[in-house]
Amino acid sequence: MVAKNLLLMAAAGCVLSVAGIAVAQSPSKAIILKPSPEAEAAEAAADEAAKAVAVSETISEDTKAEHAEAAPAADGAAPADHAEKSHDDAGTAHHYVAPKQNWSFNGIFGTYDRASMQRGFQVYKEVCAACHSMSRLSYRNLADLGYTEGEIKAIAADVMVTDGPNDDGEMYERPGRPSDHFKSPYPNPQAAKSVNNGAYPADLSLLAKARQGGPDYIYAILTGYEEAPANKELLPGQHWNKAMAGNIIAMPAPLMAGQVAYGDGTDQTVDQYARDVAHFMMWAAEPKMESRKRTGVKVFLFLLVFTGVMYAVKRKIWSNVH
């Protein structure tokens, strides 16, 4: 539009200049003088230039629209036909929602199941601890699961912890104590990556709060391993999991029936193992949930009684007015 306006102004200037020259040459005919041939030619040239600019702008807008339709959207979305194909290829992988499970800690008055948490800790210790750490937990925290002081000391003493330096300035190994944090399976992140194809196994301390769905998500992942479809080819080290975004996960199925021997007679199935360890991980991520709920109920009851008292006081103070 700017170029068009400049051309029109230039053309108008040329017309006025030519007309002025014609008037100056024939002052007696200035009132009835028609534009000279030069002025008509200049005006025609200006019109042609304006038309050319308009056509150029129209082509430019059409070109932009074509590019906008052909190029992916700014947020990475593909064109409609490609998006539909991508959706067909991915299936419902990216839209998977972990089914809601019936947990004892659900609801306002929900509480943890101590027996389930102890079984979950057993699954973690015998299976998950081989790759995953829980660095935010100490062995003494197991008292919340119902373990006695003697049992906690025995559990801690089963691991050897690096301590020191001693009087000679050297590090040494000693049996674990209740005050020690859960021992990590690897001395450092680099060592963990080197034996896991470059992937660092997640710390499980807060995983139940860090993932959408919490324990439902954990349960879905642990029970979601399946054979890959015939049209899907997995690379070495990849596994098919219906609950994982993209359906591909590096961690092999960690649980199998009869893998952990429960001492209380509970069914030793993958479903039960997954449910128990998810319950335990929920407690690890939110160990104060029960006390928080109890406090919330007490506060609600207090506010209810306080509201009644304040209403009675108001009625008493304003009784004479009413």
Side-chain angles (χ1 to χ4, degrees), residues 39-199:
E40 292 178 351
E43 184 176 0
D47 291 340
E48 292 296 329
K51 292 178 180 179
V53 171
V55 172
S56 176
E57 290 180 349
T58 303
I59 295 175
S60 176
E61 292 297 329
D62 294 340
T63 303
K64 290 180 181 179
E66 292 175 359
H67 283 294
E69 292 176 358
D75 60 353
D81 53 344
H82 295 292
E84 184 176 356
K85 181 179 179 182
S86 175
H87 177 77
D88 293 339
D89 291 342
T92 57
H94 298 283
H95 303 282
Y96 183 87
V97 178
K100 293 289 185 181
Q101 302 298 319
N102 184 23
W103 304 102
S104 65
F105 48 78
N106 286 343
I108 299 177
F109 302 102
T111 59
Y112 289 126
D113 182 347
R114 264 57 184 173
S116 179
M117 289 194 297
Q118 289 189 12
R119 293 192 300 267
F121 170 66
Q122 184 180 354
V123 174
Y124 166 76
K125 183 176 66 172
E126 297 184 16
V127 180
C128 309
C131 298
H132 295 275
S133 61
M134 296 193 82
S135 58
R136 294 180 179 272
L137 285 182
S138 298
Y139 292 105
R140 61 188 173 192
N141 297 137
L142 295 176
D144 293 344
L145 275 61
Y147 287 105
T148 65
E149 183 178 356
E151 290 173 331
I152 293 173
K153 289 181 178 180
I155 293 171
D158 283 341
V159 300
M160 298 301 293
V161 178
T162 302
D163 202 349
N166 56 19
D167 294 340
D168 297 327
E170 297 179 353
M171 305 300 288
Y172 61 94
E173 297 286 325
R174 62 164 176 80
R177 301 168 183 164
S179 58
D180 293 326
H181 288 276
F182 279 21
K183 184 179 180 179
S184 174
Y186 306 105
N188 51 65
Q190 289 73 21
K193 293 179 181 179
S194 67
V195 298
N196 289 282
N197 297 323

